[in-house]
Amino acid sequence: MLIAAAGLLGGLVLWAVGLHTIQDSRPLTGAWALLPMGVMAGLETLRRTAPRTTVVVGTLTLVADQFTSGSLATVLMFTDIMYAAVLYGTPAAARRIPWTTALVTVAVPIGLVSWIPRTDVLLVGVFTGLISFGPATTGALVRNHRDAAEAARLRAEQTALLAEMDRRQAVLAERARMARELHDMVANHLSAIAIHSTAALSLDDEATTRDALSVIRENSVEGLAEMRRLIGLLRDSGSDGGAGGGAGGGTGPAAAPTLRALDTLLAQARTNGASSGLGFALDDLRQDNALALPTPVELAAYRIVQESLTNALKHAAPGTVTVRLACTAEVLTVRVSSPFGDRPGPRAPGSGAGLIGMRERVALLDGEFDAGPVTTGDGTTIWLVRAELPVAEGSGTA
């Protein structure tokens, strides 16, 4: 509206002072020049909403203006309409209009020279290019620059969105890993505490109570130490592992446990499960149990055994819990079998998070995991945990 008002007002001023673009006699003189000017000003109000219509009607209006004394304001408003048609029109129109105006710019002088053999008519071609091809080319350049800026903005937004999605996935994965580590490190000790505290409360015997309290204290201290190591790991991750922070007591985070510590783990399980009639045995069938395995595989195997022993302390019937390890060049197999059935005495509640954590650990290594009751050849039902962990090629030197 402002452009239309400015063009119309400027045209009226030029007409009032007698400035016209055509000085020779024309069929329509005087106020007839105001009619194309008014139509062109009206088309300016539609330059964004209907660019194709304004170009067609504006071209016919400019031709009609040539039959009057003409006005510079009409010509200038036509150039703005041509520019807006390329800038705000459809992509097809934005590609087509510059080529069309270029052909018109070339065709007009050729046609006039063939009709009027005078060299000065070539100036008409220059004038046609200035009012049509020039604005159309300018609109195309501006539109291309605007589209490039918009594409760059969209790419930046997509990059930021992908980065945020990656960050969220990393945070969720890290939270899941921390939850597994916390459960595996502390659940064993807390289960033993729950079982022995229940026994101490249910049995009115001083010796039993003293033994239970000794086991409770031992597991409490070890559980606190495990918790302290986990907190130190969380606080010191990313640092150089030098002098630790406040919670770490000046020590870096402990190294990941290995299968060499299974003897200690089973000895602790024997102490915790003695009151429930549970025994624990290790059957290591690996040809060379000193052979180094990839750290993720060894940690997963250790945690699976640890969680299986914790579940046996909670739920297994009296009998022997057997841990069996076997390793080939391709896979490490972990089997933990425990008596299945009702058990006397106190039991600790379970949440099922242990099985979920073991399954997640195996899935992260692209292995196979099974857990559930199995009937053996002699008709005995056992609870069997079986995990197959792929061993990467060349893991012996890992």
Side-chain angles (χ1 to χ4, degrees):
M1 295 298 294
L2 291 176
I3 294 175
L8 184 59
L9 180 61
L12 290 174
V13 172
L14 294 175
W15 179 79
V17 299
L19 294 178
H20 306 286
T21 57
I22 302 174
Q23 301 299 327
D24 56 359
S25 60
R26 293 286 166 166
L28 303 174
T29 58
W32 284 102
L34 298 178
L35 181 59
M37 184 193 308
V39 174
M40 201 70 76
L43 293 175
E44 284 281 18
T45 62
L46 304 175
R47 63 195 289 271
R48 294 176 66 109
T49 57
R52 183 181 302 179
T53 302
T54 57
V55 168
V56 175
V57 178
T59 302
L60 297 176
T61 303
L62 186 64
V63 173
D65 187 59
Q66 304 307 306
F67 295 93
T68 68
S69 55
S71 175
L72 181 61
T74 303
V75 176
L76 292 178
M77 286 189 286
F78 175 78
T79 60
D80 181 66
I81 287 174
M82 188 65 69
Y83 167 81
V86 177
L87 184 61
Y88 302 116
T90 61
R95 292 189 301 268
R96 191 183 304 118
I97 291 177
W99 287 102
T100 303
T101 55
L103 293 176
V104 171
T105 301
V106 174
V108 166
I110 293 176
L112 288 178
V113 168
S114 61
W115 183 32
I116 305 174
R118 292 168 49 186
T119 56
D120 56 350
V121 297
L122 294 176
L123 296 177
V124 178
V126 176
F127 177 75
T128 303
L130 290 176
I131 66 174
S132 60
F133 179 69
T137 305
T138 304
L141 293 175
V142 174
R143 180 175 182 134
N144 291 337
H145 179 73
R146 185 186 64 179
D147 292 344
E150 181 67 15
R153 184 185 65 82
L154 291 176
R155 284 195 298 270
E157 290 180 354
Q158 292 174 355
T159 302
L161 180 60
L162 291 175
E164 179 64 18
M165 293 175 61
D166 290 342
R167 187 192 67 82
R168 291 183 180 181
Q169 291 177 356
V171 169
L172 292 176
E174 184 65 14
R175 290 175 61 182
R177 187 186 70 83
M178 291 167 55
R180 287 194 300 269
E181 290 295 326
L182 180 61
H183 179 274
D184 293 342
M185 292 172 64
V186 180
N188 184 37
H189 302 294
L190 294 182
S191 298
I193 290 173
I195 292 173
H196 287 81
S197 61
T198 303
L201 292 173
S202 59
L203 300 177
D204 188 12
D205 182 74
E206 182 177 355
T208 303
T209 301
R210 183 177 297 278
D211 293 340
L213 291 177
S214 299
V215 174
I216 289 173
R217 182 186 182 282
E218 178 184 351
N219 281 275
S220 299
V221 172
E222 293 182 0
L224 288 174
E226 294 284 355
M227 182 71 73
R228 195 174 296 115
R229 281 195 291 268
L230 179 60
I231 293 175
L233 176 65
L234 296 177
R235 286 186 174 180
D236 298 338
S237 59
S239 66
D240 56 4
T251 60
T258 65
L259 294 179
R260 295 186 180 90
L262 287 184
D263 291 333
T264 303
L265 189 64
L266 264 71
Q268 183 183 20
R270 293 188 188 98
T271 301
N272 295 333
S275 61
S276 302
L278 290 174
F280 296 86
L282 175 61
D283 187 7
D284 194 346
L285 301 180
R286 292 178 296 166
Q287 294 180 355
D288 184 3
N289 56 14
L291 183 66
L293 294 170
T295 300
V297 174
E298 194 157 7
L299 176 61
Y302 180 89
R303 293 303 188 195
I304 289 172
V305 173
Q306 183 183 43
E307 180 59 27
S308 299
L309 296 180
T310 300
N311 290 339
L313 289 173
K314 293 180 181 179
H315 310 295
T320 301
V321 179
T322 303
V323 178
R324 178 171 298 174
L325 301 177
C327 185
T328 65
E330 293 80 19
V331 65
L332 171 67
T333 303
V334 179
R335 293 168 56 96
V336 182
S337 60
S338 56
F340 183 77
D342 295 333
R343 59 176 287 179
R347 300 181 62 176
S351 63
L355 290 176
I356 295 175
M358 288 190 288
R359 195 178 302 276
E360 288 178 348
R361 287 185 183 276
V362 176
L364 289 174
L365 297 174
D366 294 328
E368 296 181 2
F369 177 81
D370 294 309
V374 176
T375 302
T376 61
D378 58 359
T380 305
T381 302
I382 62 172
W383 181 273
L384 178 63
V385 175
R386 179 176 175 274
E388 291 187 355
L389 305 175
V391 178
E393 183 178 357
S395 61
T397 58

